[in-house]
Amino acid sequence: MQAPSAHLHPVDHLDSVTVRLCGDSGDGIQVTGDQFTVSTAVAGNDLATLPDFPAEIRAPAGTLAGVSGFQICFSSHAVQTPGDQPDVLVAFNPAALRANVKDLKSNGILIVNTGEFGDRDLQKAGYTANPLEDDTLSAYQVFKVDITKLTRNALEGSPLSSKEVGRCKNFFALGLLFWLFSRPMESTRGWIQSKFAKRPEIVEANVKALEAGYNFGDTTEIFHSHFVVERAVIPAGRYRSISGNMALALGLIAASQLSGLRLFLGSYPITPASDILHELSRYKHFGVQTFQAEDEIAAIGAAIGAAFGGNLGVTSTSGPGLCLKSEAVGLAVVTELPLIICNIQRGGPSTGLPTKTEQADLLQSMYGRNGECPVPVLAASSPSDCFDTAIEAVRIAVTYMTPVIFLSDGYLANGAEPWKIPDIESLPRIAVRFRTEVENFHPFMRDDKLARPWVRPGTAGLEHRIGGLEKEDVTGNVSYDPQNHEKMCKLRAAKVAGIARDLPPATVMGPNQGKVLVIGWGSTYGAINTAVRDLQAKGHTVAHLHLRHLNPFPANLGELLKRYDRVLVPEMNLGQLVKMLRAEFLVDARGLNKIQGKPFRVEEVRRGVEALLEELK
């Protein structure tokens, strides 16, 4: 921990805090947020993060299009969301201020880098007057700090260029936050030394800027107090901070080890899924093979080939890429090969909002292929849950010889939370059996789960063909017979539907019957769960059910729906799961929809439930 301050500022103890950093995409906002997250984890708080990237790769500096943000909520108790509104906002320039200040809580702390508030900076952000010089910000506690100048003063005499010195200002701001929230700095010092080991002058400059920011907070009179958030009480174990994409990659590696299959990823880079390719490429020592294809179609084609060869075939993409892969998904369905298709959803349609989050690919995942083409669909509910859901997706794929679609989104992919590293022995083994017996072999004979045998090519006496044309039942010969085609369609559909018998029953958080059941899937989990718990604490008979398995649904879902007077379905789309529930169970499910590229706030879900409770009166 940082040495105790010689300047005795009062210390305020807080239960929970939400901080947002915002600035130009070149200001190192994401690095600053990541390092504050690591320090917060070291301090023992529970946390959740929400990075927010600009959609423009090289937007003009100082413009609204180039604003980058990072939000973190940390607490002395369990955290399930990155916070509704920030308590503290750090704005590096006018554009960052203008894009974010409306979200800051009333009387919240606003730290502004006055060194970037020149006339030209204000004009680029669309300000006609300087908001620091009128009453525009009167609703907040405004702290004006010339971070740019103070960083240059701290690095006077440095061999770095003026431009390089300017890039150190994010570490000055980070040091100030470390002081403000009593954070340890050792982990960040170590990271700087490792990251810039080949440039000792940069190591020295960044460490100096970090310490200068801390000392500025400690010695200045503008801050009347600083804050302490006590350690969270969490189950004992070994923890690490993990993002959804990293957890997904590790889950796939774990599934590879648990099944004894070599992992092959065929992928084409696309935001926000590219990190899966980057992460898996680091694990060649686990037998992982990664292939960056020339396009989405080649990527999934290679993954299908890997599956035919007896490997764990995986492809990763986002919604636009899933469109391009759709014909090949149908090929994996008709050949009945195990394949994992990871769709990290983003705002659409077309290129849409490439760096923003959305849940609008559910119906695409369910039905976005030609012909009767059923595919199991699973969705992770938190960054760390991506690990467990990946293992479950692999289990289903190899048990039932079917492609499986894994759904995440930009919020889960880039967000981070503490993850308790599991005991290896506690992870479920995944049984895989390759057919080797020649006697009575037919490539499309089926077991009790309607799965066909998996045969490695080259196995003597088990030669067989696959392809996109319809197969004859049992023999696998090409068939144009109408009755056979209908039978094969029904068999493939029955196989996927039968997975429901192998799923754990759906369970609710809260009363088993009552006024309102809130059903969610994917990344809405934290906001729904927190809102429902708040309402339960006020005496309302509301419950929360979150679905991992979206096709097929758990077998008891229909019976659960009948126990509540109203069903509410919050989704980051215009109403997709709600359509499926209405069609499947003839229930009057209501949608609570948001499609702004931002996750739900707890308050938004709470208001939606309260509206239904009021209706029931």
Side-chain angles (χ1 to χ4, degrees):
M1 296 288 289
Q2 182 72 17
S5 169
H7 303 269
L8 301 179
H9 291 80
V11 176
D12 293 336
H13 290 263
L14 302 176
D15 179 61
S16 181
V17 177
T18 298
V19 175
R20 184 184 298 177
L21 296 149
C22 54
D24 219 44
S25 55
D27 285 336
I29 298 300
Q30 302 305 321
V31 168
T32 308
D34 287 342
Q35 289 304 306
F36 190 79
T37 299
V38 170
S39 181
T40 297
V42 170
N45 299 129
D46 198 12
L47 62 92
T49 72
L50 176 62
D52 184 20
F53 303 95
E56 301 290 337
I57 296 175
R58 288 184 176 86
T63 63
L64 293 172
V67 173
S68 177
F70 188 101
Q71 183 162 308
I72 175 173
C73 176
F74 55 101
S75 178
S76 58
H77 57 72
V79 169
Q80 294 183 318
T81 77
D84 276 12
Q85 294 178 278
D87 302 287
V88 178
L89 178 67
V90 181
F92 277 64
N93 61 27
L97 177 67
R98 186 171 184 186
N100 290 275
V101 71
K102 60 184 181 299
D103 294 334
L104 183 61
K105 287 181 180 177
S106 179
N107 202 41
I109 292 175
L110 174 59
I111 300 174
V112 182
N113 176 22
T114 59
E116 304 295 330
F117 271 68
D119 291 341
R120 181 164 171 75
D121 302 311
L122 293 165
Q123 290 171 5
K124 285 193 288 185
Y127 280 114
T128 57
N130 191 337
L132 303 180
E133 297 175 355
D134 54 30
D135 61 354
T136 303
L137 306 175
S138 59
Y140 314 110
Q141 301 180 56
V142 181
F143 296 93
K144 304 174 185 179
V145 182
D146 193 340
I147 295 174
T148 302
K149 180 179 178 180
L150 289 167
T151 302
R152 295 190 183 280
N153 290 345
L155 301 185
E156 188 175 355
S158 169
L160 298 183
S161 68
S162 177
K163 185 176 181 179
E164 288 174 322
V165 168
R167 287 177 177 169
C168 296
K169 64 178 180 288
N170 62 320
F171 283 103
F172 184 98
L174 181 60
L176 178 56
L177 286 175
F178 280 167
W179 174 82
L180 194 61
F181 292 103
S182 309
R183 305 282 86 175
M185 294 201 294
E186 283 73 13
S187 62
T188 297
R189 286 197 187 99
W191 180 86
I192 292 171
Q193 290 166 357
S194 173
K195 177 71 174 177
F196 303 106
K198 296 181 179 180
R199 297 282 307 273
E201 68 277 16
I202 291 182
V203 171
E204 181 182 11
N206 282 329
V207 170
K208 275 187 176 181
L210 181 74
E211 293 175 345
Y214 188 98
N215 292 329
F216 175 81
D218 191 27
T219 58
T220 186
E221 298 299 322
I222 67 171
F223 293 100
H224 306 298
S225 61
H226 61 145
F227 307 98
V228 168
V229 178
E230 300 296 340
R231 298 176 66 91
V233 178
I234 57 177
R238 187 181 181 190
Y239 288 80
R240 61 166 291 178
S241 177
I242 199 164
S243 69
N245 276 348
M246 185 180 294
L248 171 55
L250 294 179
L252 291 170
I253 294 170
S256 168
Q257 298 294 308
L258 294 166
S259 63
L261 298 171
R262 288 176 63 90
L263 172 58
F264 175 90
L265 174 76
S267 187
Y268 180 75
I270 183 172
T271 301
S274 300
D275 284 344
I276 300 166
L277 173 61
H278 302 157
E279 188 68 22
L280 284 176
S281 67
R282 300 171 50 213
Y283 289 92
K284 294 181 178 65
H285 56 292
F286 277 98
V288 176
Q289 292 180 295
T290 55
F291 167 54
Q292 181 173 322
E294 64 268 30
D295 57 42
E296 297 281 5
I297 299 170
I300 189 172
I304 292 173
F308 177 61
N311 302 283
L312 176 54
V314 181
T315 189
S316 57
T317 189
S318 188
L322 188 58
C323 293
L324 295 169
K325 295 179 190 289
S326 61
E327 183 181 2
V329 175
L331 176 62
V333 168
V334 78
T335 55
E336 300 190 47
L337 286 169
L339 176 72
I340 308 299
I341 304 124
C342 303
N343 177 10
I344 317 303
Q345 301 165 95
R346 72 189 203 187
S350 187
T351 308
L353 304 174
T355 62
K356 310 302 179 184
T357 195
E358 200 165 279
Q359 286 183 298
D361 296 349
L362 177 55
L363 294 183
Q364 177 193 26
S365 300
M366 287 289 298
Y367 309 116
R369 295 166 294 281
N370 63 298
E372 293 293 337
C373 195
V375 173
V377 179
L378 287 76
S381 60
S382 70
S384 60
D385 186 54
C386 290
F387 178 86
D388 297 311
T389 305
I391 295 175
E392 172 69 351
V394 172
R395 182 191 71 82
I396 290 174
V398 301
T399 301
Y400 289 88
M401 291 294 287
T402 178
V404 175
I405 293 179
F406 170 102
L407 291 177
S408 174
D409 59 42
Y411 170 30
L412 295 185
N414 297 315
E417 65 182 359
W419 175 54
K420 184 179 179 182
I421 300 173
D423 176 11
I424 299 300
E425 298 304 317
S426 70
L427 297 176
R429 294 302 182 265
I430 299 174
V432 175
R433 181 177 178 271
F434 289 99
R435 173 86 184 209
T436 57
E437 306 96 310
V438 175
E439 187 177 358
N440 297 323
F441 168 70
H442 293 287
F444 280 84
M445 62 193 301
R446 299 180 185 277
D447 62 15
D448 61 335
K449 297 184 185 298
L450 300 181
R452 79 172 184 89
W454 198 1
V455 178
R456 282 196 168 107
T459 304
L462 302 183
E463 295 84 358
H464 64 287
R465 59 188 169 200
I466 62 170
L469 294 173
E470 183 61 279
K471 310 296 181 293
E472 183 179 66
D473 186 28
V474 181
T475 69
N477 295 329
V478 173
S479 173
Y480 298 102
D481 179 70
Q483 283 72 34
N484 177 78
H485 174 57
E486 182 169 314
K487 181 178 183 179
M488 293 298 281
C489 285
K490 288 181 176 179
L491 280 171
R492 289 188 290 262
K495 178 174 69 171
V496 172
I499 295 171
R501 296 191 296 270
D502 195 23
L503 301 180
T507 58
V508 300
M509 188 283 291
N512 286 324
Q513 60 182 18
K515 296 290 185 182
V516 178
L517 175 64
V518 187
I519 298 183
W521 67 277
S523 64
T524 56
Y525 176 83
I528 295 174
N529 197 264
T530 303
V532 169
R533 289 183 184 276
D534 290 348
L535 290 165
Q536 289 173 350
K538 296 178 181 178
H540 296 291
T541 54
V542 299
H544 173 205
L545 190 159
H546 216 75
L547 293 171
R548 170 183 283 176
H549 299 91
L550 295 161
N551 189 38
F553 288 130
N556 68 327
L557 179 58
E559 189 271 330
L560 283 175
L561 293 175
K562 297 175 183 177
R563 298 181 185 178
Y564 299 86
D565 298 333
R566 294 287 187 274
V567 175
L568 183 69
V569 186
E571 299 182 83
M572 289 188 291
N573 56 48
L574 294 181
Q576 299 194 10
L577 176 60
V578 73
K579 286 184 175 69
M580 293 167 57
L581 294 175
R582 282 171 168 263
E584 183 77 14
F585 302 110
L586 302 179
V587 62
D588 182 23
R590 312 285 184 88
L592 178 64
N593 306 109
K594 178 177 182 177
I595 189 162
Q596 303 172 10
K598 299 178 179 180
F600 272 102
R601 293 179 176 179
V602 174
E603 182 59 29
E604 291 170 334
V605 178
R606 187 187 299 120
R607 288 199 305 265
V609 179
E610 288 172 340
L612 283 188
L613 291 170
E614 187 64 27
E615 178 182 306
L616 288 170
K617 289 182 180 179

